[in-house]
Coordinates of all heavy atoms in Angstrom, one line a residue:
M49 N -14.0 8.5 -4.4 CA -14.1 7.8 -3.2 C -13.4 8.5 -2.0 O -12.3 9.0 -2.2 CB -13.5 6.4 -3.4 CG -13.5 5.5 -2.2 SD -13.0 3.8 -2.6 CE -14.5 3.2 -3.1
E50 N -14.0 8.5 -0.9 CA -13.4 9.2 0.3 C -12.3 8.4 0.9 O -12.3 7.2 0.8 CB -14.5 9.5 1.3 CG -15.6 10.5 0.9 CD -16.5 10.8 2.0 OE1 -16.1 10.7 3.2 OE2 -17.7 11.1 1.7
A51 N -11.4 9.2 1.5 CA -10.2 8.5 2.1 C -10.6 7.6 3.2 O -10.0 6.5 3.4 CB -9.3 9.6 2.6
K52 N -11.7 7.9 4.0 CA -12.1 7.1 5.1 C -12.6 5.7 4.5 O -12.3 4.7 5.1 CB -13.3 7.8 5.8 CG -13.8 7.1 7.0 CD -14.8 7.9 7.8 CE -15.2 7.2 9.1 NZ -16.1 8.1 9.8
E53 N -13.3 5.7 3.4 CA -13.8 4.5 2.8 C -12.6 3.7 2.3 O -12.6 2.4 2.4 CB -14.8 4.8 1.7 CG -16.1 5.4 2.1 CD -16.9 5.9 0.9 OE1 -16.3 6.2 -0.1 OE2 -18.1 6.0 1.0
L54 N -11.7 4.4 1.7 CA -10.5 3.7 1.1 C -9.6 3.1 2.2 O -9.1 2.0 2.1 CB -9.7 4.7 0.3 CG -8.8 4.1 -0.7 CD1 -9.5 3.1 -1.6 CD2 -8.1 5.2 -1.5
L55 N -9.5 3.8 3.3 CA -8.7 3.2 4.5 C -9.5 2.0 5.0 O -8.8 1.0 5.4 CB -8.6 4.3 5.5 CG -7.7 3.9 6.8 CD1 -6.3 3.4 6.4 CD2 -7.6 5.1 7.7
A56 N -10.8 2.0 5.1 CA -11.6 0.9 5.5 C -11.4 -0.3 4.6 O -11.2 -1.5 5.0 CB -13.0 1.2 5.6
A57 N -11.3 -0.1 3.3 CA -11.0 -1.1 2.3 C -9.6 -1.7 2.5 O -9.4 -2.9 2.5 CB -11.2 -0.6 0.9
Y58 N -8.7 -0.8 2.7 CA -7.3 -1.3 3.0 C -7.3 -2.2 4.2 O -6.7 -3.3 4.2 CB -6.4 -0.1 3.2 CG -4.9 -0.5 3.5 CD1 -4.0 -0.6 2.5 CD2 -4.6 -0.7 4.8 CE1 -2.7 -1.0 2.8 CE2 -3.3 -1.1 5.1 CZ -2.3 -1.2 4.1 OH -1.1 -1.6 4.4
K59 N -8.0 -1.8 5.3 CA -8.0 -2.6 6.5 C -8.7 -3.9 6.3 O -8.2 -4.9 6.9 CB -8.7 -1.8 7.6 CG -8.0 -0.6 8.2 CD -8.9 0.1 9.2 CE -8.3 1.3 9.8 NZ -9.2 1.9 10.8
R60 N -9.7 -4.0 5.4 CA -10.3 -5.3 5.2 C -9.3 -6.2 4.4 O -9.3 -7.4 4.6 CB -11.6 -5.1 4.3 CG -12.7 -4.5 5.1 CD -14.1 -4.7 4.4 NE -14.1 -4.3 3.0 CZ -14.3 -3.0 2.6 NH1 -14.6 -2.1 3.4 NH2 -14.3 -2.8 1.3
L61 N -8.5 -5.6 3.6 CA -7.6 -6.4 2.8 C -6.4 -6.9 3.6 O -5.9 -8.0 3.5 CB -7.1 -5.5 1.6 CG -6.4 -6.2 0.5 CD1 -7.2 -7.4 -0.1 CD2 -6.1 -5.2 -0.6
W62 N -5.9 -6.0 4.4 CA -4.7 -6.3 5.3 C -5.2 -6.1 6.8 O -4.9 -5.2 7.4 CB -3.6 -5.3 5.0 CG -2.8 -5.7 3.8 CD1 -1.8 -6.6 3.8 CD2 -3.0 -5.2 2.5 NE1 -1.3 -6.7 2.5 CE2 -2.0 -5.9 1.7 CE3 -3.9 -4.4 1.9 CZ2 -1.9 -5.7 0.3 CZ3 -3.8 -4.1 0.6 CH2 -2.8 -4.8 -0.2
N63 N -6.0 -7.1 7.2 CA -6.7 -6.9 8.5 C -5.8 -7.1 9.7 O -6.2 -6.8 10.8 CB -7.9 -7.9 8.6 CG -7.5 -9.3 8.4 OD1 -6.3 -9.6 8.3 ND2 -8.4 -10.2 8.3
N64 N -4.5 -7.5 9.6 CA -3.6 -7.6 10.7 C -2.7 -6.5 10.8 O -1.8 -6.5 11.6 CB -2.9 -9.0 10.6 CG -3.8 -10.1 10.8 OD1 -4.7 -10.1 11.6 ND2 -3.4 -11.3 10.2
R65 N -2.8 -5.5 10.0 CA -2.0 -4.3 10.0 C -2.3 -3.4 11.2 O -3.5 -3.2 11.5 CB -2.0 -3.5 8.7 CG -1.6 -4.3 7.5 CD -0.1 -4.4 7.5 NE 0.3 -5.0 6.3 CZ 1.0 -6.0 6.1 NH1 1.4 -6.8 7.1 NH2 1.4 -6.5 4.9
T66 N -1.3 -2.8 11.8 CA -1.5 -1.9 12.9 C -1.7 -0.5 12.2 O -0.8 -0.1 11.4 CB -0.3 -1.9 13.8 OG1 0.0 -3.2 14.3 CG2 -0.6 -1.0 15.1
V67 N -2.8 0.2 12.6 CA -3.0 1.5 12.0 C -2.9 2.5 13.1 O -3.6 2.4 14.1 CB -4.4 1.5 11.3 CG1 -4.7 2.9 10.8 CG2 -4.6 0.4 10.3
S68 N -2.0 3.5 12.9 CA -1.9 4.5 13.9 C -3.1 5.4 13.8 O -3.7 5.6 12.8 CB -0.6 5.3 13.6 OG -0.7 6.0 12.4
N69 N -3.5 5.9 15.0 CA -4.6 6.9 15.1 C -4.1 8.2 14.6 O -3.0 8.7 14.9 CB -5.1 7.0 16.5 CG -5.7 5.7 17.0 OD1 -6.3 4.9 16.2 ND2 -5.6 5.4 18.3
G70 N -4.9 8.8 13.8 CA -4.6 10.1 13.3 C -5.9 10.7 12.7 O -6.9 10.1 12.6
S71 N -5.8 12.0 12.4 CA -7.0 12.7 12.0 C -7.2 12.7 10.5 O -8.3 12.8 10.0 CB -6.9 14.2 12.5 OG -5.8 14.8 11.9
N72 N -6.1 12.4 9.8 CA -6.2 12.5 8.3 C -6.1 11.1 7.7 O -5.0 10.5 7.7 CB -5.1 13.4 7.8 CG -5.3 13.7 6.3 OD1 -5.9 12.9 5.6 ND2 -4.7 14.8 5.8
E73 N -7.2 10.5 7.3 CA -7.2 9.1 6.8 C -6.4 9.0 5.5 O -5.7 8.0 5.3 CB -8.6 8.7 6.5 CG -9.5 8.3 7.7 CD -10.3 9.5 8.2 OE1 -10.2 10.6 7.6 OE2 -10.9 9.3 9.2
E74 N -6.3 10.0 4.7 CA -5.5 9.9 3.5 C -4.0 9.8 3.8 O -3.3 9.0 3.2 CB -5.7 11.2 2.6 CG -5.0 11.1 1.3 CD -5.4 12.3 0.4 OE1 -6.2 13.1 0.8 OE2 -4.8 12.4 -0.7
E75 N -3.5 10.6 4.8 CA -2.1 10.5 5.2 C -1.8 9.1 5.8 O -0.8 8.6 5.5 CB -1.8 11.6 6.1 CG -1.7 13.0 5.5 CD -1.4 14.1 6.5 OE1 -0.9 13.7 7.6 OE2 -1.5 15.2 6.2
I76 N -2.7 8.6 6.6 CA -2.6 7.3 7.2 C -2.5 6.2 6.1 O -1.6 5.4 6.1 CB -3.7 7.0 8.2 CG1 -3.6 7.9 9.4 CG2 -3.6 5.5 8.6 CD1 -4.9 7.9 10.3
L77 N -3.4 6.3 5.1 CA -3.4 5.3 4.1 C -2.1 5.4 3.3 O -1.5 4.3 3.0 CB -4.6 5.5 3.1 CG -4.6 4.6 1.9 CD1 -4.8 3.2 2.4 CD2 -5.8 5.0 1.0
L78 N -1.6 6.6 2.9 CA -0.4 6.7 2.1 C 0.8 6.2 2.9 O 1.7 5.5 2.3 CB -0.2 8.2 1.7 CG -1.2 8.7 0.7 CD1 -0.9 10.2 0.5 CD2 -1.1 8.0 -0.6
E79 N 0.8 6.4 4.2 CA 1.9 5.9 5.0 C 1.9 4.4 5.1 O 3.0 3.7 5.0 CB 1.9 6.5 6.4 CG 3.1 6.2 7.3 CD 4.4 6.6 6.7 OE1 4.5 7.7 6.1 OE2 5.4 5.8 6.8
L80 N 0.7 3.8 5.2 CA 0.6 2.3 5.3 C 1.1 1.7 3.9 O 1.7 0.7 3.9 CB -0.8 1.9 5.6 CG -1.3 2.2 7.0 CD1 -2.8 2.0 7.1 CD2 -0.6 1.3 8.0
V81 N 0.7 2.3 2.8 CA 1.1 1.8 1.5 C 2.6 1.9 1.3 O 3.2 1.0 0.8 CB 0.3 2.5 0.4 CG1 0.9 2.2 -1.0 CG2 -1.2 2.2 0.5
K82 N 3.2 3.0 1.7 CA 4.6 3.2 1.6 C 5.3 2.1 2.5 O 6.3 1.6 2.1 CB 5.0 4.6 2.1 CG 4.7 5.7 1.1 CD 5.1 7.0 1.6 CE 4.6 8.1 0.6 NZ 4.9 9.5 1.1
Q83 N 4.8 1.9 3.7 CA 5.4 0.9 4.5 C 5.3 -0.5 3.8 O 6.3 -1.3 3.9 CB 4.7 0.8 5.9 CG 5.0 1.9 6.8 CD 4.2 1.9 8.1 OE1 3.4 1.0 8.3 NE2 4.4 2.8 9.0
E84 N 4.2 -0.8 3.2 CA 4.0 -2.0 2.5 C 5.0 -2.2 1.3 O 5.7 -3.2 1.2 CB 2.6 -2.1 2.0 CG 2.3 -3.4 1.2 CD 2.2 -4.6 2.2 OE1 1.9 -4.4 3.3 OE2 2.5 -5.7 1.7
L85 N 5.1 -1.1 0.6 CA 6.1 -1.2 -0.6 C 7.5 -1.2 -0.2 O 8.3 -1.8 -0.9 CB 5.8 0.1 -1.5 CG 4.5 0.0 -2.3 CD1 4.3 1.3 -3.1 CD2 4.3 -1.2 -3.2
K86 N 7.9 -0.6 1.0 CA 9.2 -0.7 1.5 C 9.5 -2.0 2.2 O 10.6 -2.2 2.6 CB 9.5 0.5 2.4 CG 9.6 1.9 1.8 CD 9.8 2.9 2.8 CE 10.0 4.3 2.3 NZ 10.3 5.2 3.3
D87 N 8.4 -2.8 2.4 CA 8.5 -4.0 3.1 C 9.1 -3.9 4.5 O 9.8 -4.7 5.0 CB 9.4 -5.0 2.3 CG 9.0 -6.5 2.5 OD1 8.0 -6.7 3.1 OD2 9.8 -7.4 2.0
E88 N 8.6 -2.8 5.1 CA 9.2 -2.5 6.5 C 8.7 -3.5 7.6 O 9.3 -3.4 8.7 CB 8.8 -1.1 6.9 CG 9.5 0.0 6.0 CD 9.1 1.4 6.4 OE1 8.1 1.6 7.1 OE2 9.8 2.3 5.9
M89 N 7.7 -4.2 7.3 CA 7.2 -5.2 8.3 C 7.9 -6.5 8.2 O 7.5 -7.5 8.9 CB 5.7 -5.3 8.2 CG 5.0 -4.0 8.5 SD 3.3 -4.1 8.1 CE 2.9 -2.4 7.7
T90 N 8.9 -6.6 7.4 CA 9.7 -7.8 7.2 C 11.1 -7.6 7.8 O 11.6 -6.5 7.7 CB 9.7 -8.2 5.7 OG1 8.4 -8.3 5.2 CG2 10.4 -9.5 5.5
H91 N 11.7 -8.7 8.2 CA 13.1 -8.6 8.7 C 13.9 -8.0 7.6 O 13.8 -8.4 6.4 CB 13.6 -10.0 9.1 CG 14.9 -9.9 9.8 ND1 16.1 -9.8 9.2 CD2 15.2 -9.9 11.2 CE1 17.1 -9.8 10.0 NE2 16.6 -9.8 11.2
P92 N 14.9 -7.1 7.9 CA 15.7 -6.5 6.8 C 16.4 -7.5 5.8 O 16.5 -7.2 4.7 CB 16.7 -5.7 7.6 CG 16.0 -5.4 8.9 CD 15.2 -6.6 9.2
R93 N 16.8 -8.6 6.3 CA 17.5 -9.5 5.4 C 16.5 -10.2 4.4 O 17.0 -10.8 3.4 CB 18.3 -10.6 6.2 CG 19.6 -10.0 6.8 CD 20.3 -11.1 7.5 NE 19.7 -11.3 8.8 CZ 19.9 -12.2 9.6 NH1 20.8 -13.1 9.3 NH2 19.3 -12.3 10.8
L94 N 15.3 -10.2 4.7 CA 14.3 -10.9 3.9 C 13.4 -10.0 3.1 O 12.6 -10.4 2.3 CB 13.3 -11.7 4.8 CG 14.0 -12.8 5.7 CD1 13.0 -13.4 6.6 CD2 14.7 -13.8 4.8
R95 N 13.7 -8.7 3.1 CA 12.9 -7.7 2.4 C 13.0 -7.8 0.9 O 14.1 -8.1 0.4 CB 13.3 -6.3 2.8 CG 12.8 -5.9 4.2 CD 13.1 -4.5 4.6 NE 12.6 -4.3 6.0 CZ 13.0 -3.4 6.8 NH1 14.0 -2.6 6.4 NH2 12.5 -3.3 8.0
K96 N 11.9 -7.6 0.2 CA 11.9 -7.6 -1.2 C 12.0 -6.1 -1.7 O 11.7 -5.2 -1.0 CB 10.6 -8.2 -1.7 CG 10.5 -9.7 -1.3 CD 9.2 -10.3 -1.8 CE 9.1 -11.8 -1.7 NZ 9.1 -12.3 -0.5
N97 N 12.3 -6.0 -3.0 CA 12.3 -4.6 -3.5 C 10.9 -4.1 -3.7 O 10.0 -4.8 -3.7 CB 13.2 -4.5 -4.7 CG 12.6 -5.3 -5.9 OD1 11.4 -5.2 -6.2 ND2 13.5 -6.0 -6.6
H98 N 10.9 -2.8 -4.0 CA 9.6 -2.1 -4.2 C 8.7 -2.7 -5.3 O 7.5 -2.8 -5.2 CB 9.8 -0.6 -4.6 CG 10.6 0.2 -3.7 ND1 10.6 0.1 -2.3 CD2 11.5 1.1 -3.9 CE1 11.4 0.9 -1.7 NE2 12.0 1.6 -2.7
Y99 N 9.4 -3.1 -6.4 CA 8.6 -3.7 -7.5 C 8.0 -5.0 -7.2 O 6.9 -5.3 -7.5 CB 9.5 -3.8 -8.7 CG 10.0 -2.5 -9.2 CD1 11.3 -2.1 -9.0 CD2 9.2 -1.6 -9.9 CE1 11.8 -0.9 -9.5 CE2 9.6 -0.4 -10.4 CZ 10.9 0.0 -10.2 OH 11.3 1.2 -10.6
E100 N 8.7 -5.9 -6.4 CA 8.2 -7.2 -6.0 C 7.0 -7.0 -5.1 O 6.0 -7.7 -5.2 CB 9.3 -8.0 -5.4 CG 10.4 -8.5 -6.3 CD 11.4 -9.3 -5.5 OE1 12.2 -8.6 -4.8 OE2 11.5 -10.5 -5.7
K101 N 7.2 -6.1 -4.1 CA 6.1 -5.8 -3.2 C 4.9 -5.2 -3.9 O 3.7 -5.5 -3.6 CB 6.6 -4.9 -2.1 CG 7.5 -5.5 -1.1 CD 6.9 -6.8 -0.4 CE 5.8 -6.4 0.5 NZ 5.2 -7.6 1.2
F102 N 5.1 -4.4 -4.9 CA 4.0 -3.8 -5.7 C 3.3 -4.9 -6.4 O 2.1 -4.9 -6.3 CB 4.6 -2.8 -6.7 CG 3.6 -2.2 -7.6 CD1 2.7 -1.1 -7.1 CD2 3.4 -2.6 -8.9 CE1 1.8 -0.6 -7.9 CE2 2.5 -2.0 -9.7 CZ 1.6 -1.0 -9.2
H103 N 4.0 -5.8 -7.0 CA 3.4 -6.9 -7.8 C 2.5 -7.7 -6.8 O 1.4 -8.1 -7.1 CB 4.5 -7.7 -8.5 CG 3.9 -8.9 -9.2 ND1 3.3 -8.8 -10.4 CD2 4.0 -10.2 -8.9 CE1 2.9 -10.0 -10.8 NE2 3.3 -10.8 -9.9
Q104 N 3.1 -8.1 -5.7 CA 2.4 -8.9 -4.7 C 1.1 -8.2 -4.2 O 0.1 -8.8 -4.1 CB 3.3 -9.3 -3.5 CG 4.4 -10.3 -3.9 CD 5.3 -10.5 -2.7 OE1 5.3 -9.8 -1.7 NE2 6.1 -11.6 -2.8
S105 N 1.3 -6.9 -3.9 CA 0.1 -6.2 -3.4 C -1.0 -6.1 -4.4 O -2.2 -6.2 -4.1 CB 0.6 -4.8 -3.0 OG 1.5 -4.9 -1.9
I106 N -0.6 -5.8 -5.7 CA -1.6 -5.6 -6.7 C -2.3 -7.0 -7.0 O -3.6 -7.0 -7.1 CB -1.0 -5.1 -8.0 CG1 -0.4 -3.7 -7.8 CG2 -2.0 -5.1 -9.2 CD1 -1.3 -2.7 -7.3
K107 N -1.6 -8.1 -7.0 CA -2.2 -9.4 -7.1 C -3.2 -9.6 -6.0 O -4.3 -10.1 -6.2 CB -1.2 -10.5 -7.1 CG -0.5 -10.7 -8.4 CD 0.6 -11.8 -8.4 CE 0.0 -13.2 -8.0 NZ 1.0 -14.2 -8.1
R108 N -2.8 -9.3 -4.8 CA -3.7 -9.5 -3.6 C -5.0 -8.6 -3.7 O -6.1 -9.0 -3.4 CB -3.0 -9.1 -2.3 CG -3.8 -9.4 -1.1 CD -3.0 -9.3 0.2 NE -3.8 -9.6 1.3 CZ -3.4 -9.8 2.5 NH1 -2.1 -9.8 2.7 NH2 -4.2 -10.1 3.5
I109 N -4.8 -7.4 -4.2 CA -6.0 -6.5 -4.4 C -6.9 -7.1 -5.5 O -8.1 -7.1 -5.3 CB -5.5 -5.1 -4.8 CG1 -4.8 -4.4 -3.6 CG2 -6.7 -4.2 -5.3 CD1 -4.1 -3.1 -4.0
I110 N -6.3 -7.5 -6.6 CA -7.2 -8.1 -7.7 C -8.0 -9.3 -7.3 O -9.2 -9.4 -7.7 CB -6.3 -8.4 -8.9 CG1 -5.8 -7.1 -9.5 CG2 -7.0 -9.2 -9.9 CD1 -4.7 -7.2 -10.6
I111 N -7.4 -10.2 -6.5 CA -8.1 -11.4 -6.1 C -9.0 -11.2 -4.9 O -9.7 -12.1 -4.5 CB -7.2 -12.6 -6.0 CG1 -6.2 -12.4 -4.8 CG2 -6.5 -12.9 -7.3 CD1 -5.4 -13.6 -4.4
S112 N -9.0 -10.0 -4.3 CA -9.7 -9.7 -3.1 C -11.2 -9.6 -3.4 O -11.6 -9.4 -4.5 CB -9.2 -8.5 -2.4 OG -9.7 -7.4 -3.1
P113 N -12.0 -9.7 -2.3 CA -13.5 -9.5 -2.5 C -13.9 -8.1 -2.5 O -15.1 -7.8 -2.4 CB -14.1 -10.3 -1.3 CG -13.0 -10.2 -0.2 CD -11.7 -10.2 -1.0
L114 N -13.0 -7.1 -2.5 CA -13.4 -5.7 -2.6 C -14.2 -5.4 -3.8 O -14.1 -6.1 -4.8 CB -12.1 -4.8 -2.5 CG -11.2 -5.0 -1.3 CD1 -10.0 -4.1 -1.5 CD2 -11.9 -4.5 0.0
H115 N -14.9 -4.3 -3.7 CA -15.6 -3.8 -4.9 C -14.7 -3.3 -6.0 O -13.6 -2.9 -5.6 CB -16.6 -2.7 -4.5 CG -17.6 -3.1 -3.5 ND1 -18.7 -3.9 -3.9 CD2 -17.8 -2.8 -2.2 CE1 -19.4 -4.1 -2.8 NE2 -18.9 -3.4 -1.8
E116 N -15.1 -3.4 -7.2 CA -14.2 -3.0 -8.3 C -13.7 -1.6 -8.2 O -12.5 -1.3 -8.4 CB -14.9 -3.2 -9.7 CG -15.2 -4.6 -10.0 CD -14.0 -5.6 -10.0 OE1 -13.0 -5.2 -10.6 OE2 -14.1 -6.6 -9.4
K117 N -14.5 -0.7 -7.8 CA -14.1 0.7 -7.6 C -13.0 0.8 -6.5 O -12.0 1.6 -6.7 CB -15.3 1.6 -7.3 CG -14.9 3.1 -7.2 CD -16.1 4.0 -7.1 CE -15.6 5.4 -7.1 NZ -16.7 6.4 -7.0
E118 N -13.2 0.1 -5.4 CA -12.2 0.1 -4.4 C -10.9 -0.4 -4.9 O -9.8 0.1 -4.6 CB -12.7 -0.7 -3.2 CG -13.8 -0.1 -2.4 CD -14.4 -1.1 -1.4 OE1 -14.5 -2.3 -1.6 OE2 -14.8 -0.5 -0.3
K119 N -10.9 -1.5 -5.6 CA -9.7 -2.1 -6.2 C -9.0 -1.1 -7.1 O -7.8 -0.9 -7.0 CB -10.1 -3.3 -7.0 CG -10.5 -4.5 -6.2 CD -10.9 -5.7 -7.1 CE -11.4 -6.9 -6.4 NZ -11.7 -8.0 -7.2
L120 N -9.7 -0.5 -8.0 CA -9.1 0.5 -8.9 C -8.4 1.7 -8.2 O -7.3 2.1 -8.5 CB -10.1 1.0 -9.9 CG -10.6 0.0 -10.9 CD1 -11.7 0.6 -11.8 CD2 -9.4 -0.5 -11.8
V121 N -9.1 2.2 -7.2 CA -8.6 3.3 -6.4 C -7.3 2.9 -5.6 O -6.3 3.6 -5.6 CB -9.6 4.0 -5.6 CG1 -9.0 5.1 -4.7 CG2 -10.8 4.5 -6.4
L122 N -7.4 1.7 -5.0 CA -6.2 1.2 -4.2 C -5.1 1.0 -5.2 O -3.9 1.3 -4.8 CB -6.6 0.0 -3.5 CG -7.2 0.1 -2.1 CD1 -7.6 -1.2 -1.5 CD2 -6.3 0.8 -1.2
I123 N -5.3 0.4 -6.3 CA -4.2 0.2 -7.3 C -3.6 1.5 -7.7 O -2.4 1.6 -7.8 CB -4.7 -0.6 -8.5 CG1 -5.0 -2.1 -8.1 CG2 -3.7 -0.6 -9.7 CD1 -5.7 -2.9 -9.1
N124 N -4.5 2.5 -7.9 CA -3.9 3.9 -8.2 C -3.1 4.4 -7.1 O -2.0 5.0 -7.4 CB -5.1 4.8 -8.5 CG -4.6 6.1 -9.1 OD1 -3.7 6.2 -9.9 ND2 -5.3 7.2 -8.6
V125 N -3.5 4.3 -5.9 CA -2.7 4.7 -4.7 C -1.4 4.0 -4.7 O -0.3 4.7 -4.5 CB -3.5 4.5 -3.4 CG1 -2.6 4.8 -2.2 CG2 -4.7 5.4 -3.4
Y126 N -1.4 2.7 -4.9 CA -0.1 2.0 -4.9 C 0.8 2.4 -6.0 O 2.0 2.6 -5.8 CB -0.4 0.5 -5.0 CG -0.6 -0.2 -3.7 CD1 -1.8 -0.2 -3.0 CD2 0.5 -0.8 -3.0 CE1 -1.9 -0.8 -1.8 CE2 0.4 -1.4 -1.8 CZ -0.8 -1.4 -1.2 OH -0.9 -2.0 0.1
S127 N 0.2 2.7 -7.2 CA 1.0 3.1 -8.3 C 1.7 4.5 -8.0 O 2.9 4.7 -8.3 CB 0.1 3.3 -9.6 OG -0.4 2.0 -9.9
Q128 N 0.9 5.4 -7.5 CA 1.4 6.7 -7.1 C 2.5 6.6 -6.1 O 3.6 7.3 -6.2 CB 0.3 7.6 -6.7 CG -0.6 8.0 -7.8 CD -1.8 8.9 -7.3 OE1 -2.0 9.1 -6.1 NE2 -2.6 9.3 -8.2
C129 N 2.3 5.8 -5.1 CA 3.3 5.6 -4.0 C 4.6 5.0 -4.6 O 5.7 5.4 -4.2 CB 2.8 4.8 -2.9 SG 1.6 5.7 -1.8
L130 N 4.5 4.0 -5.5 CA 5.6 3.4 -6.1 C 6.4 4.4 -6.9 O 7.6 4.5 -6.8 CB 5.2 2.2 -7.0 CG 6.4 1.5 -7.7 CD1 7.4 0.9 -6.7 CD2 5.8 0.5 -8.7
E131 N 5.7 5.2 -7.7 CA 6.4 6.3 -8.5 C 7.1 7.2 -7.6 O 8.3 7.6 -7.9 CB 5.4 7.0 -9.3 CG 4.8 6.3 -10.5 CD 3.7 7.0 -11.2 OE1 3.5 8.2 -10.9 OE2 3.1 6.4 -12.0
Q132 N 6.5 7.6 -6.4 CA 7.2 8.5 -5.5 C 8.4 7.9 -4.9 O 9.5 8.5 -4.8 CB 6.2 9.0 -4.4 CG 6.8 10.0 -3.5 CD 7.1 11.3 -4.3 OE1 6.3 11.8 -5.1 NE2 8.2 11.9 -4.0
L133 N 8.3 6.6 -4.5 CA 9.5 5.9 -3.9 C 10.6 5.8 -4.9 O 11.8 6.0 -4.5 CB 9.0 4.5 -3.4 CG 8.2 4.5 -2.2 CD1 7.7 3.0 -1.9 CD2 8.9 5.0 -1.0
V134 N 10.3 5.4 -6.1 CA 11.3 5.3 -7.2 C 12.0 6.7 -7.4 O 13.2 6.8 -7.5 CB 10.7 4.7 -8.5 CG1 11.7 4.8 -9.6 CG2 10.3 3.3 -8.2
K135 N 11.2 7.7 -7.4 CA 11.7 9.1 -7.6 C 12.7 9.5 -6.5 O 13.8 10.0 -6.7 CB 10.6 10.1 -7.7 CG 11.0 11.5 -8.0 CD 9.8 12.4 -8.0 CE 10.3 13.9 -8.1 NZ 9.1 14.8 -8.1
N136 N 12.2 9.2 -5.3 CA 13.1 9.5 -4.1 C 14.4 8.7 -4.1 O 15.4 9.2 -3.7 CB 12.3 9.2 -2.8 CG 11.2 10.2 -2.6 OD1 11.1 11.2 -3.2 ND2 10.3 9.8 -1.7
D137 N 14.3 7.4 -4.5 CA 15.5 6.6 -4.6 C 16.5 7.1 -5.6 O 17.7 7.1 -5.4 CB 15.2 5.1 -5.0 CG 14.5 4.4 -3.8 OD1 14.5 4.9 -2.7 OD2 14.0 3.3 -4.1
K138 N 16.0 7.6 -6.7 CA 16.8 8.2 -7.8 C 17.5 9.5 -7.4 O 18.6 9.8 -7.8 CB 16.1 8.4 -9.1 CG 15.7 7.2 -9.8 CD 15.0 7.5 -11.1 CE 14.6 6.2 -11.8 NZ 13.9 6.4 -13.1
E139 N 16.8 10.2 -6.5 CA 17.4 11.5 -6.0 C 18.5 11.3 -5.0 O 19.3 12.2 -4.7 CB 16.3 12.4 -5.4 CG 15.3 12.9 -6.5 CD 14.1 13.6 -5.9 OE1 14.0 13.7 -4.6 OE2 13.3 14.2 -6.7
K140 N 18.6 10.1 -4.4 CA 19.6 9.9 -3.4 C 20.9 9.7 -4.0 O 21.2 9.3 -5.0 CB 19.2 8.7 -2.5 CG 18.0 8.9 -1.6 CD 17.7 7.7 -0.8 CE 16.5 8.0 0.1 NZ 16.2 6.8 0.9

């Protein structure tokens, strides 16, 4: 699945998210997912940890009206981003 299609699926799922303009849809999508997992759009005192946000995001993807292939690819993107965030946290 192309990054452009996947970014469009993400936008349908989180339709109120602000998406920065850029030339590389894959980088934009990865940045949006990282922001979601870091809970950056929430006030700092109310933020949830990466695992809670991952769980909430996956539930939202599963119950969404997206096509099954879009769901699977988005879940994979979220999994990879979570692994990277956890790895970065351990290195600190």
Side-chain angles (χ1 to χ4, degrees):
M49 176 171 278
E50 290 186 30
K52 186 175 185 176
E53 295 170 332
L54 201 53
L55 183 58
Y58 178 92
K59 287 179 184 178
R60 287 194 313 270
L61 194 57
W62 282 273
N63 56 5
N64 291 328
R65 297 286 190 238
T66 309
V67 178
S68 62
N69 293 329
S71 59
N72 189 337
E73 285 91 1
E74 185 176 356
E75 288 179 13
I76 293 169
L77 177 65
L78 292 175
E79 186 58 37
L80 288 169
V81 171
K82 286 178 186 175
Q83 287 176 359
E84 180 72 27
L85 291 175
K86 290 179 175 181
D87 207 8
E88 290 180 347
M89 296 173 209
T90 304
H91 189 280
R93 286 182 280 170
L94 301 174
R95 288 184 180 156
K96 295 180 169 69
N97 67 42
H98 304 321
Y99 297 105
E100 289 176 289
K101 288 303 291 184
F102 177 79
H103 178 74
Q104 289 176 345
S105 298
I106 298 306
K107 279 179 62 176
R108 185 170 182 166
I109 291 169
I110 290 171
I111 63 172
S112 75
L114 297 175
H115 298 290
E116 295 303 314
K117 185 174 182 179
E118 292 172 323
K119 290 179 184 182
L120 290 173
V121 176
L122 274 176
I123 289 170
N124 187 40
V125 169
Y126 269 84
S127 296
Q128 290 175 356
C129 284
L130 178 64
E131 288 175 10
Q132 187 64 43
L133 287 173
V134 169
K135 180 181 175 184
N136 291 345
D137 286 349
K138 286 182 180 179
E139 291 175 355
K140 290 182 180 178

